[in-house]
Amino acid sequence: MKTTLIAAISLSVGLCTGFFVFGNARSDPPVLAGPACGGAVIASIPEPAPMPRMLPMFTRPSLQTEEPIADAREDNTLEAHGEHARHLFGLLTERLRSSPMGDHPNPEVVGRSQAEFIQGMAHALKSASPETLPHLARELENKLCEQGATDAEIMMYSYLQMDLPETASSRGFECVLAKRGGREDVVTWTLLDAWQSSGLDPTPSMLALGSHAKDARTTERLVVSPPQGLPGMEQVEQ
């Protein structure tokens, strides 16, 4: 009989302690009472000992802990987008080099061979990963300015900029035109088409090209409305 009573009290203490700790309904001093105790007062017990191991599970971390975690996550996200952009840029370059048209003497033919793929990639990026576009723009600018590009690559990148104007930059356009020395051909015209799609202001090399261009296909692409209060091409030439 004594054993049975001790077991019953122990069971009641276990149930009620759980009720008091997690239900936050402790009395002072704590009393084993309530539905879990059969609706009757059984006994008084001392204040439960603190449980430090459980506190981190329910305690909000301090801001000093959260900020580095948030910064680390942001850095990881930026790095992931950058890696994605480098992968896509490498894929474009590799596709151009391995294309059956890769050895064709006409750069327009080579560049156009990738137009359909670029169009599909542009649509996918806009829909699923627009955060990658600034990183892709940096990769493209670096290629055009630091590494240099073949005529076929310039054609392909121009198509990319037409489909994704967000990837265009004034520095990229200026690098290409400055290196081409004022040549008027299909590569320059396609690049100027991409520039028109971007909505960017004319670069110094564009202004210089507009002052001495002989081909109508060049001059008609360089006639623009005055951007942001600046003189237009036709006014600069005068």
Side-chain angles (χ1 to χ4, degrees), residues 85 129-139 166-167:
S129 186
E131 301 86 355
T132 302
L133 296 181
H135 301 272
L136 191 60
R138 283 194 288 272
E139 291 295 321
E166 303 91 333
T167 63

Side-chain angles (χ1 to χ4, degrees), residues 104-121:
H104 198 283
N106 187 340
E108 182 178 17
V109 173
V110 182
R112 281 191 179 276
S113 68
Q114 303 304 313
E116 186 174 349
F117 175 79
I118 290 172
Q119 212 168 34
M121 186 184 78

Side-chain angles (χ1 to χ4, degrees), residues 207-229:
L207 297 174
L209 181 60
S211 67
H212 62 72
K214 303 293 191 295
D215 196 303
R217 289 167 290 187
T218 303
T219 55
E220 68 187 9
R221 286 172 168 82
L222 288 174
V223 176
V224 295
S225 300
Q228 302 177 0

